[in-house]
Amino acid sequence: MNLLDTIYEVPHLLHVTNSDSRKALQATCSQLRHLVRRTTSSVSFGTDWQTSEADARLLASGAWTHSKAMNFSSAGMDANAIAVLSQGDWPLLEILLLSNNEFGASGMEHFGQGRWPAVATLGLSCIGMCTSMLQYLQHATLACLSSLDLSGNHLAKPTCWAELVKGDWPNLTHLDLSCSHLDTSFFGQLKHAKWPLLGGLSLHSALYRVLEAPQGKHEALQGIVQCNWHHLQILNLANCGFDPDAMQTICQAQWSNLRVFDFAANPMHADAVRYLAGIAWSKLGALDLTWCDNDVTAVSHLVQAQWPHLQTLGLNGNHIHVNALDLLVKAQWPLLTDLDLSHNYLGPGPVVRLSSGHELPIESGKLIITPPAWLLKQWPMLSVLNLSSCNEI
């Protein structure tokens, strides 16, 4: 018996006690039940839980509708449970996570019939969503929606993306479409989306379908660049299969407020890095160029970048050898706090030099060191230096 059942059922199970004790226990249990319902603002089900229709009905009862956050991720929600939950009145619910539940088109249809006036964060990743299901998202009352996670769904057909950009979500600030099998037509529709406040977009591992066609990559990037999201601060294009010429298109974008740019696992060459370093992203604070095939020439361009607020730089898995390292440490990034050089063959000499000859502590299988004094003169804020596997070829 779970806690909700216990709170609800115990008053009816007290027949084994005498009358006075039963009255006292009933009063106490009623008070406890009322207290729990009144003070509980967040409800979360474990990943091994199978949420039943009865559970959903109990939560949808009036006593629980003051909840502000409900997490049903991987909780075995089926269409019936979604239907009951959607019938509830949730005037204060701000966070609703339904990821990793395959409740099908029927469940999405029920969700679309619900009223979610205060929901700002909605998680619908990996729910087996297909093209026909996305239309129901438009029917739901989601006036306050600011963060939407649709990652891990197969939404490749043009009609699907046409439905997505119809979403009237003027407060949307974060959209996650990672691993969603995007189609070229999506990027043609994207510029019509009414998301003026969009500040974060993740397309991680989402573009290989697009890039199969020779013209696909150009259309995809042009579609992204043409969206003048002046509030865009976070852009994740990691593992999208872009070729080195992609950066020439990206540098045309008007994203003056960009703070986080993830371009990991996309091959680059020196010219691509030269274009990147010339972009006037004066607010850039985090850059990930992991596994991008950068070499010493690329690093020579990278260090010319004028990014005074850069704090985190990921260069692991590139071709940064001794000469590239000598160039890198001359970069003018006074606020740099975290530098990842792991999986670059620096050799024992540079590693010892970077560690000032001190024994390197091992943390979670990684070689993390405290930067030496000579390096702190260049980057006084540097606190994390990752040199894992830098002695290995």
Side-chain angles (χ1 to χ4, degrees), residues 204-226:
H204 186 290
S205 304
L207 297 177
Y208 274 107
R209 176 185 171 87
V210 171
L211 301 180
E212 290 175 358
Q215 191 66 13
K217 62 183 178 182
H218 178 73
E219 293 179 5
L221 284 174
Q222 285 294 337
I224 297 172
V225 169
Q226 289 173 5

Side-chain angles (χ1 to χ4, degrees), residues 234-369:
I234 302 172
L235 180 60
N236 188 336
L237 297 177
N239 195 36
C240 283
F242 288 129
D243 63 23
D245 295 331
M247 195 56 65
Q248 189 172 1
T249 302
I250 291 175
C251 71
Q252 300 171 12
Q254 302 297 314
W255 300 325
S256 58
N257 288 308
L258 198 68
R259 287 171 166 79
V260 178
F261 183 52
D262 190 338
F263 203 66
N266 290 292
M268 302 179 70
H269 52 46
D271 285 342
V273 177
R274 178 167 58 85
Y275 283 119
L276 174 63
I279 302 177
W281 289 340
S282 59
K283 298 180 182 179
L284 189 68
L287 175 64
D288 194 344
L289 298 179
T290 298
W291 303 106
C292 286
D293 295 330
N294 290 309
D295 57 13
V296 61
T297 306
V299 171
S300 70
H301 294 306
L302 186 64
V303 297
Q304 302 300 319
Q306 300 298 312
W307 299 324
H309 297 284
L310 189 67
Q311 296 179 309
T312 302
L313 178 59
L315 291 172
N316 46 312
N318 285 279
H319 305 293
I320 299 178
H321 304 305
V322 176
N323 293 337
L325 179 63
D326 290 338
L327 289 171
L328 185 63
V329 296
K330 296 178 182 179
Q332 299 297 316
W333 301 321
L335 299 183
L336 192 68
T337 60
D338 189 331
L339 176 61
D340 190 345
L341 294 175
S342 60
H343 300 280
N344 289 285
Y345 180 66
L346 301 178
V351 170
V352 171
R353 179 183 172 215
L354 285 170
S355 62
S356 297
H358 298 299
E359 182 178 351
L360 307 181
I362 303 294
E363 296 183 6
S364 302
K366 297 181 179 180
L367 213 54
I368 311 294
I369 73 167

Side-chain angles (χ1 to χ4, degrees), residues 46-356:
T47 56
D48 58 346
W49 184 267
Q50 294 296 308
T51 305
S52 66
E53 182 179 346
D55 292 325
R57 192 174 304 281
L58 182 58
L59 288 170
S61 64
W64 292 92
T65 54
H66 63 277
S67 299
K68 294 183 178 180
M70 306 194 79
N71 184 359
F72 292 99
S73 298
S74 304
M77 293 283 284
D78 60 15
N80 291 332
I82 292 290
V84 172
L85 196 68
S86 300
Q87 293 171 4
D89 185 19
W90 308 101
L92 303 179
L93 189 64
E94 298 175 358
I95 300 174
L96 178 59
L97 305 180
L98 299 171
S99 300
N100 297 299
N101 294 287
E102 296 195 6
F103 38 75
S106 178
M108 275 302 298
E109 183 175 8
H110 290 305
F111 176 82
Q113 295 170 355
R115 297 182 302 277
W116 319 96
V119 169
T121 299
L122 178 60
L124 293 173
S125 65
C126 302
I127 63 170
M129 182 181 286
C130 60
T131 302
S132 61
M133 294 166 60
L134 194 56
Q135 61 179 312
Y136 301 121
L137 191 59
Q138 314 307 327
H139 302 159
T141 304
L142 292 166
C144 294
L145 187 65
S146 63
S147 180
L148 176 60
D149 185 356
L150 293 174
S151 61
N153 291 294
H154 194 95
L155 305 172
K157 294 184 179 180
T159 52
C160 175
W161 298 119
E163 290 292 335
L164 179 61
V165 298
K166 287 179 184 176
D168 187 14
W169 306 313
N171 298 311
L172 190 68
T173 59
H174 290 84
L175 178 61
D176 192 343
L177 298 174
S178 303
C179 305
S180 293
H181 304 277
L182 302 183
D183 190 272
T184 306
S185 60
F186 165 67
F187 297 96
Q189 298 278 349
L190 194 56
K191 60 185 178 183
H192 301 300
K194 299 177 182 179
W195 310 323
L197 300 180
L198 192 68
L201 175 63
S202 179
L203 299 174
H204 186 290
S205 304
L207 297 177
Y208 274 107
R209 176 185 171 87
V210 171
L211 301 180
E212 290 175 358
Q215 191 66 13
K217 62 183 178 182
H218 178 73
E219 293 179 5
L221 284 174
Q222 285 294 337
I224 297 172
V225 169
Q226 289 173 5
C227 297
N228 294 319
W229 293 317
H230 300 295
H231 296 277
L232 192 67
Q233 298 183 18
I234 302 172
L235 180 60
N236 188 336
L237 297 177
N239 195 36
C240 283
F242 288 129
D243 63 23
D245 295 331
M247 195 56 65
Q248 189 172 1
T249 302
I250 291 175
C251 71
Q252 300 171 12
Q254 302 297 314
W255 300 325
S256 58
N257 288 308
L258 198 68
R259 287 171 166 79
V260 178
F261 183 52
D262 190 338
F263 203 66
N266 290 292
M268 302 179 70
H269 52 46
D271 285 342
V273 177
R274 178 167 58 85
Y275 283 119
L276 174 63
I279 302 177
W281 289 340
S282 59
K283 298 180 182 179
L284 189 68
L287 175 64
D288 194 344
L289 298 179
T290 298
W291 303 106
C292 286
D293 295 330
N294 290 309
D295 57 13
V296 61
T297 306
V299 171
S300 70
H301 294 306
L302 186 64
V303 297
Q304 302 300 319
Q306 300 298 312
W307 299 324
H309 297 284
L310 189 67
Q311 296 179 309
T312 302
L313 178 59
L315 291 172
N316 46 312
N318 285 279
H319 305 293
I320 299 178
H321 304 305
V322 176
N323 293 337
L325 179 63
D326 290 338
L327 289 171
L328 185 63
V329 296
K330 296 178 182 179
Q332 299 297 316
W333 301 321
L335 299 183
L336 192 68
T337 60
D338 189 331
L339 176 61
D340 190 345
L341 294 175
S342 60
H343 300 280
N344 289 285
Y345 180 66
L346 301 178
V351 170
V352 171
R353 179 183 172 215
L354 285 170
S355 62
S356 297

Side-chain angles (χ1 to χ4, degrees), residues 17-24 26:
T17 62
N18 60 48
S19 178
D20 292 339
S21 296
R22 184 162 61 250
K23 290 180 180 179
Q26 284 178 329

